[in-house]
Amino acid sequence: LSGDEADRYRRFRFDTDRHVFLLSHAMLRQVLSRYADVDPADWQFSNNSHGRPEIAHPDPGLSLRFNLTHTRGLAACIVTQTLDCGVDAEALVERRNVTGIAERMFADEELQLLRNLEGPRLQDEFINLWTLREAYCKARGTGLANSGKHFHFQRNRDGDWQIRATGTLAPMTGWHLSIERIASSHTVAAAVHVADRSAFTVRFREFSF
């Protein structure tokens, strides 16, 4: 780890949180080194104004784009050659007051969808919308708190997720969205800024050291 990462590692209160932080950052370094001739220990990162990590060393001009997420029990990273990307993971545990959270964070179209659901379906759809919003905002390099309600996520007739501007039916172009259920315990969402969605695929792979 870099000095900054080591400091963050030590600030975690619980061993399990420190462990997943350590594993996630080690994983990211090894994955990046599969796409560039750089030793995993040599990567250094900087953050933009909203906290999105970017490559600072050894070559800030590398075209690789990446994003990282970790939660209890799971870490995930996404890497592309040139495309802005974001990833978010959440554990599938029951959450209280999901409609209250949605009222503060989600668009009206998403809130109306959730109000028509209950039980496990409500929980699942809330997690889908939450992880998609997180992944999309991270891909754009903005914070979730500043995401606003001017867009919403909705499935098309084929069941694929799309982004739509609030109050409109036409999808916003230029984004590929994917959701994967991992081991019945976590949901992972990925968002990639890509012009031609039809020629692009997100591949989910299990990482092993």
Side-chain angles (χ1 to χ4, degrees):
L1 300 181
S2 67
D4 175 67
E5 288 171 321
D7 289 340
R8 292 165 60 192
Y9 168 79
R10 287 189 288 267
R11 285 198 295 268
F12 282 101
R13 180 179 178 183
F14 299 107
D15 290 342
T16 52
D17 295 332
R18 283 195 294 270
H19 186 62
V20 74
F21 177 90
L22 179 64
L23 289 179
S24 64
H25 285 73
M27 173 180 66
L28 173 63
R29 289 168 174 276
Q30 290 207 15
V31 171
L32 288 174
S33 292
R34 295 179 180 181
Y35 297 95
D37 186 20
V38 177
D39 188 86
D42 290 340
W43 293 105
Q44 294 183 22
F45 309 107
S46 61
N47 294 328
N48 74 357
S49 58
H50 296 285
R52 182 176 70 177
E54 298 174 347
I55 295 171
H57 181 82
D59 182 3
L62 279 174
S63 62
L64 291 176
R65 308 295 293 171
F66 69 94
N67 198 239
L68 177 66
T69 185
H70 51 84
T71 186
R72 287 290 181 94
L74 186 77
C77 68
I78 183 171
V79 177
T80 74
Q81 289 286 1
T82 59
L83 305 174
D84 287 336
C85 54
V87 64
D88 186 56
E90 296 290 339
L92 295 175
V93 296
E94 185 174 353
R95 287 162 169 79
R96 299 179 180 178
N97 192 31
V98 294
T99 54
I101 298 173
E103 288 174 354
R104 298 194 303 272
M105 303 297 297
F106 291 178
D108 291 341
E109 290 88 343
E110 296 166 326
L111 182 57
Q112 185 59 47
L113 170 64
L114 294 179
R115 283 174 172 165
N116 292 328
L117 302 175
E118 58 184 19
R121 291 186 61 200
L122 171 62
Q123 294 285 329
D124 287 349
E125 201 70 348
F126 173 81
I127 290 296
N128 288 338
L129 295 171
W130 181 273
T131 53
L132 283 170
R133 184 169 286 264
E134 280 267 25
Y136 172 66
C137 290
K138 292 169 75 175
R140 292 184 60 213
T142 61
L144 181 65
N146 300 317
S147 64
K149 299 185 177 184
H150 59 279
F151 64 90
H152 65 280
F153 299 95
Q154 187 172 341
R155 294 181 182 88
N156 62 17
R157 292 181 179 179
D158 296 326
D160 297 325
W161 286 97
Q162 296 178 330
I163 307 172
R164 296 181 179 180
T166 298
T168 67
L169 297 178
M172 295 166 56
T173 59
W175 288 95
H176 182 98
L177 306 172
S178 297
I179 289 183
E180 186 86 353
R181 186 67 56 84
I182 306 296
S184 300
S185 60
H186 292 79
T187 291
V188 177
V192 181
H193 190 214
V194 57
D196 184 4
R197 295 178 68 253
S198 64
F200 185 81
T201 300
V202 173
R203 291 179 293 176
F204 289 88
R205 298 176 175 177
E206 183 175 355
F207 179 84
S208 173
F209 286 100

